[in-house]
Amino acid sequence: MDLDRIQLAIRPRTIFECLDVAFLFCGRHWLGVLLTSAVGVIPILVLDSWFKVSGSEDSDGYLFYLFVPLQIPWATSMLTLYLGQITFSQKFSPRRAIRDFFRSIIPLILFQVVLKGLCLAVVVLSPVAFVGMYYLNEVLLLERPGLARVWKRVNAMSSNAWGRLISLVVVDGLVLLAGVPLLATLIRAISSLWEDRFQWSPGEFADGVYNPDWQLSIAFWLVIVFLTVFRFVTYLDGRIRREGWDVELKLKAQATLLAQREGA
């Protein structure tokens, strides 16, 4: 691997710089991002349509709040693995990604389902789920520490950085609130070209209850995909700030280059 072709410049960045890098990365690797995202998102959409879990009814609102945060880590797992490989490698290996995913199945169930589910169920512990576990997927899938060390690694990423993590969660929320309806409106505008009608609303109201449509669902998951890339960029930034990981990454890149030359 040519060190000059590393996809992300390794240096500490502000939150807005991380947003900019995430946009640039999505633009450069849009096909890989979409394909690896589809691997996780499509099964979630199928399951949602099967179980009919939505926020369209008051009785289902709590289930929507509970299940969607639990679905997102699974839907974006393959994307996270793709980001980890493509950032510092020349190509993505689906075989390696699938192997790494199945190696992380048990930690994912224990931490992303059981532990996070308990925190979400006990509403007062929700900040732990949204802030304290912000980088949980990256730790489980990319670092793959032993079960006994998972929480230690998560704490290492969040200790003395709660202010920044809260800011990141707020930015995520703002991007969701602004991006989903705008993107859904754009998708509806495009889809109206073959529907022979135009609807500006990203959803419809029936009996005073908001019912999301397929455009809104697609918009939601596209924004989640972007936020996954954004979180990955801030994860790298966090490790650089806390651990001087830029030196480690450059050494690993050099080792990869030497190994490839020896194998050639």
Side-chain angles (χ1 to χ4, degrees):
M1 179 179 67
D2 186 350
L3 296 183
D4 293 333
R5 295 178 61 189
I6 290 178
Q7 303 297 336
L8 299 178
I10 304 171
R11 64 175 178 84
R13 298 177 182 272
T14 66
I15 291 177
F16 292 108
E17 284 182 317
C18 290
L19 277 171
D20 183 52
V21 171
F23 274 114
L24 292 175
F25 192 94
C26 289
R28 180 174 298 181
H29 301 283
W30 63 271
L31 182 59
V33 168
L34 288 179
L35 290 178
T36 53
S37 300
V39 171
V41 171
I42 291 177
I44 293 296
L45 291 175
V46 172
L47 287 174
D48 278 355
S49 64
W50 187 30
F51 289 110
K52 300 185 183 301
V53 177
S54 69
S56 60
E57 297 180 7
D58 293 339
S59 60
D60 290 335
Y62 180 71
L63 293 179
F64 181 81
Y65 156 82
L66 182 62
F67 283 126
V68 170
L70 298 181
Q71 292 174 338
I72 290 174
W74 295 91
T76 59
S77 291
M78 193 59 63
L79 172 60
T80 300
L81 291 168
Y82 169 80
L83 294 172
Q85 288 189 33
I86 201 65
T87 301
F88 302 105
S89 300
Q90 287 184 322
K91 62 181 181 179
F92 171 65
S93 171
R95 178 179 298 180
R96 177 184 169 190
I98 293 172
R99 180 190 63 199
D100 291 344
F101 173 76
F102 281 103
R103 285 179 176 177
S104 304
I105 282 286
I106 293 178
L108 282 168
I109 293 173
L110 291 178
F111 289 93
Q112 289 286 26
V113 177
V114 178
L115 182 59
K116 182 178 283 187
L118 289 174
C119 290
L120 291 171
V122 182
V123 179
V124 294
L125 295 179
S126 293
V128 177
F130 288 111
V131 181
M133 301 181 186
Y134 190 76
Y135 294 120
L136 182 57
N137 234 33
E138 285 70 24
V139 170
L140 294 177
L141 292 168
L142 302 180
E143 299 183 31
R144 296 191 299 278
L147 288 176
R149 297 186 64 250
V150 169
W151 197 246
K152 181 179 180 180
R153 284 298 306 145
V154 173
N155 282 334
M157 291 297 298
S158 60
S159 62
N160 300 322
W162 280 84
R164 182 175 176 84
L165 288 177
I166 291 173
S167 299
L168 291 173
V169 172
V170 170
V171 170
D172 285 359
L174 292 176
V175 171
L176 272 173
L177 290 175
V180 171
L182 288 175
L183 190 56
T185 298
L186 177 62
I187 296 173
R188 289 185 68 87
I190 295 173
S191 66
S192 68
L193 297 177
W194 65 79
E195 291 176 353
D196 196 28
R197 59 191 176 91
F198 191 88
Q199 296 180 355
W200 283 101
S201 174
E204 298 177 353
F205 285 86
D207 299 326
V209 178
Y210 180 71
N211 294 307
D213 53 16
W214 65 269
Q215 292 98 334
L216 187 63
S217 180
I218 292 176
F220 172 80
W221 284 108
L222 285 176
V223 174
I224 289 297
V225 166
F226 169 75
L227 290 177
T228 301
V229 178
F230 171 61
R231 187 177 64 243
F232 175 77
V233 174
T234 62
Y235 164 77
L236 295 182
D237 180 77
R239 293 204 63 176
I240 291 168
R241 292 172 181 272
R242 300 185 61 84
E243 305 171 11
W245 204 37
D246 51 339
V247 176
E248 178 184 345
L249 289 174
K250 289 176 181 177
L251 290 175
K252 287 185 176 180
Q254 184 64 44
T256 301
L257 175 63
L258 292 175
Q260 289 178 347
R261 286 178 177 176
E262 291 176 357

